[in-house]
Amino acid sequence: IKIAVFASGSGSNFQALAENVRDGRIHASIELVVCDKPSAYVLERARNFQVETYTFSPKQYASRQAYEEEIVAMLQAKGIDLIVMAGYMRLVTSVLVEPYYGRMINIHPALLPAFPGINGVGQALEYGAKITGATVHFVDGGTDTGPIIAQQAVQIDDQDTLETLGARIQKAEYELLPKVVGWIAEGRVSLDGRKVTINN
Ligand code: GRF
């Protein structure tokens, strides 16, 4: 399958995915990195893996829909089968969600439905939770509300800081996201309403 990764920042999740693809553990190809920040480090990582990049500046468009229309046209022209949101910090509209519903996933650094939105790591820490983790879910019209595909738990220790907990959650993400993308590449993930099944 052909994958497009959407990212806005460092791109360490892209890196983990690209390494798994390069090492043949995921039978897919990452065709494109879409990024809303022309200076994001993820673009450097994409170049290292010879992955094409598409960057855009949202403020140069009249609306969210306007740049999403352009992106959808490009994704369709490239025959993209799966969109992976990995640290993409923009809300999406139905322009992108409609055509890709069931073929667009996101990774979130908390155990949804707990702690959605920005700073999921800090929310869990502030709340005093004892267990948090990472979630991979299908993207729907809401924020971090789509059907859940897989989750991985991470313990919160008493002396944890945003940095130490964040690092541990990202380690879990680097395992969880490639695993889920691999399942999707093998056609093992089915979606029925909110129910997601991983078939053998
Ligand atoms: C990840 O922790 C992801 O869960 C969150 O943003 C972070 C992106 O990190 N949505 P990176 O850009 O993949 O390093």
Side-chain angles (χ1 to χ4, degrees):
I1 61 167
K2 293 185 173 182
I3 297 171
V5 175
F6 284 45
S8 303
S10 158
S12 64
N13 274 285
F14 161 79
Q15 179 82 25
L17 211 44
E19 285 170 0
N20 276 273
V21 168
R22 178 195 60 198
D23 298 348
R25 284 191 291 271
I26 296 178
H27 304 123
S29 66
I30 302 176
E31 301 289 326
L32 186 68
V33 166
V34 174
C35 183
D36 60 316
K37 293 231 179 7
S39 60
Y41 188 61
V42 65
L43 299 170
E44 179 71 24
R45 296 184 194 268
R47 274 190 286 279
N48 294 340
F49 282 91
Q50 293 89 37
V51 173
E52 188 185 343
T53 63
Y54 171 85
T55 58
F56 67 100
S57 297
K59 52 184 174 303
Q60 286 172 356
Y61 292 82
S63 69
R64 215 188 287 278
Q65 284 80 355
Y67 64 72
E68 286 189 4
E69 272 154 16
E70 238 176 60
I71 292 170
V72 167
M74 181 184 48
L75 296 177
Q76 288 170 338
K78 288 179 172 299
I80 297 298
D81 303 299
L82 177 68
I83 297 174
V84 178
M85 301 273 179
Y88 180 66
M89 301 320 263
R90 302 244 156 231
L91 296 180
V92 292
T93 77
S94 56
V95 167
L96 191 57
V97 176
E98 284 295 295
Y100 284 96
Y101 185 70
R103 301 189 294 153
M104 178 159 58
I105 64 175
N106 179 51
I107 181 146
H108 181 74
L111 295 180
L112 293 173
F115 314 127
I118 55 167
N119 194 20
V121 179
Q123 288 182 57
L125 203 55
E126 286 309 304
Y127 192 92
K130 300 300 181 183
I131 302 277
T132 187
T135 301
V136 178
H137 62 95
F138 285 112
V139 175
D140 66 5
T143 300
D144 302 326
T145 52
I148 291 172
I149 304 170
Q151 298 186 294
Q152 187 164 324
V154 169
Q155 179 153 330
I156 301 181
D157 298 331
D158 296 344
Q159 74 284 1
D160 259 330
T161 63
L162 198 59
E163 289 69 31
T164 59
L165 180 57
R168 201 172 316 119
I169 292 175
Q170 285 220 303
K171 245 170 99 287
E173 292 181 330
Y174 304 155
E175 288 172 30
L176 188 64
L177 183 60
K179 187 168 72 174
V180 170
V181 172
W183 291 340
I184 293 174
E186 292 157 11
R188 295 178 52 194
V189 180
S190 48
L191 173 61
D192 173 14
R194 281 203 66 88
K195 186 109 185 63
V196 178
T197 312
I198 314 299
N199 311 296
N200 292 320

